[in-house]
Amino acid sequence: VRSNWMNLIRATKRLTWFNVGFGQLANLFPLLAAAPRYFSHAIQLGGLMQTAQAFGQVQGAMSWFVDAYFGLADWQATVLRLAGFEAALREPQGAGALPESRGALCAVDGLAVATPDGHALFEVEALRLEAGERLLVEGPSGSGKSSLLRQLAGLWPASRGRISMPEFGATVFVPQRPYLPAGSLAEALAYPHPTHDWSHDAMKRALRGAGLAELVPELDRPERWGQRLSPGEQQRLQFARLLLQRPDWIFLDEATSALDDEAQKALYEGLFAALPGAAVLSVGHRTALRRMHERRAAVRAGRLVEDDIVARDLQHAATVISLR
């Protein structure tokens, strides 16, 4: 960064010296060129001034490139950055990783989950998520659970493994800290889609379903909702988005961490009731989440292992109920 900044300073200095020198020389040159004729009394002072003025008009018309050079350089740099960004988006995944494919389910095979700098977190030998299934991914804080979702979302490539994402249906990744654009509550609720895709009645039902009935009268009010709403209310608003937009594949990253167990249970039950055919993969470490998912996978000793603890818990609960 320091070397790049010094290069920028030197280039700006040279450009400034040239532009300023060119401008000052253009003011002096006609006077110096016409001075001998003035001192020899071949022309009067008025003629000298007319000569300087005429030269200034010609010089101004012919120096467009010099005056516009800085703007052209800035425009070129912007174009190069955008072109590089577009080229990076079109590149396949990094060396050693198999390209992402599309299929009828979300599947992961032999994936090495790592940070962007290449630090290995854990491995996933095989993981499947089909339509209508509910899978919970558990693990200690800092074990890399969120990094798995980032790789599924394509935010950075994997060094090894294959990721197959659903070919059909809408896919939504729900972060722990939501992004709420400045604008009306309807715009925040419909984000990233336009508000006219849904009616106000549908938006009101979604808000009530997420426990935000008190915000229904403010649906059209412009506000910085990311500052006004509490963390819990912001997470409720994310669930209202899901109830409104009704995606087919939902990936939740600690999406209820700011809520208590009762509120978390109500949101999950409302989501499952409203979207019974949606596939849901939740990342979390709260034990209350186990009862709300059919399957469970945990990060242990550098591997993501799926077990049947949830199934045993549900079977035990059913046995207790039948005995009672």
Side-chain angles (χ1 to χ4, degrees), residues 151-163:
Q151 287 188 321
L152 291 177
L155 296 183
W156 65 70
S159 60
R160 175 171 53 84
R162 179 186 294 274
I163 297 175

Side-chain angles (χ1 to χ4, degrees), residues 92-279:
Q93 294 191 5
L98 297 176
E100 179 184 301
S101 60
R102 294 283 173 176
L105 73 164
C106 175
V108 176
D109 294 290
L111 180 66
V113 178
T115 59
D117 59 4
H119 175 66
L121 297 172
F122 61 89
E123 295 184 356
V124 184
E125 293 185 0
L127 188 67
R128 300 287 186 275
L129 180 66
E130 298 185 7
E133 289 187 332
R134 297 154 192 175
L135 171 64
L136 173 64
V137 176
E138 290 185 321
S141 297
S143 59
K145 305 182 300 296
S146 298
S147 297
L148 172 62
L149 291 190
R150 295 188 183 101
Q151 287 188 321
L152 291 177
L155 296 183
W156 65 70
S159 60
R160 175 171 53 84
R162 179 186 294 274
I163 297 175
S164 177
M165 293 299 290
E167 182 176 6
F168 303 102
T171 301
V172 172
F173 287 84
V174 181
Q176 183 177 2
R177 299 180 62 183
Y179 169 71
L180 302 179
S184 66
L185 182 60
E187 292 173 331
L189 187 58
Y191 179 84
H193 304 282
T195 56
H196 59 71
D197 286 356
W198 295 277
S199 65
H200 270 41
D201 290 339
M203 292 183 179
K204 293 176 182 178
R205 288 195 298 269
L207 289 175
R208 295 189 184 100
L212 296 174
E214 68 278 4
L215 295 180
V216 168
E218 303 185 63
L219 197 58
D220 294 320
R221 178 179 177 180
E223 186 75 73
R224 292 188 176 273
W225 299 102
Q227 298 178 4
R228 174 182 167 181
L229 299 180
S230 67
E233 289 174 325
Q234 294 183 38
Q235 291 186 343
R236 286 180 179 274
L237 187 60
Q238 290 196 119
F239 273 80
R241 282 178 181 170
L242 297 177
L243 296 176
L244 177 67
Q245 300 178 17
R246 305 182 66 84
D248 302 287
W249 302 85
I250 303 172
F251 298 86
L252 304 171
D253 183 13
E254 301 276 3
T256 55
S257 59
L259 300 170
D260 56 52
D261 289 345
E262 289 299 322
Q264 173 181 262
K265 179 181 177 182
L267 286 177
Y268 268 93
E269 289 180 347
L271 179 65
F272 294 154
L275 305 175

Side-chain angles (χ1 to χ4, degrees), residues 2 6 15 17 20 46 60 69 89 105 122 144 146 151 157 190 237 241 252 267 278 290-292 305:
R2 182 173 58 210
M6 293 303 298
L15 177 62
W17 281 1
V20 173
Y69 182 82
L89 291 178
L105 73 164
F122 61 89
S146 298
Q151 287 188 321
L237 187 60
R241 282 178 181 170
L252 304 171
L267 286 177
R290 295 182 180 181
R291 299 272 180 180
M292 289 174 269
V305 181

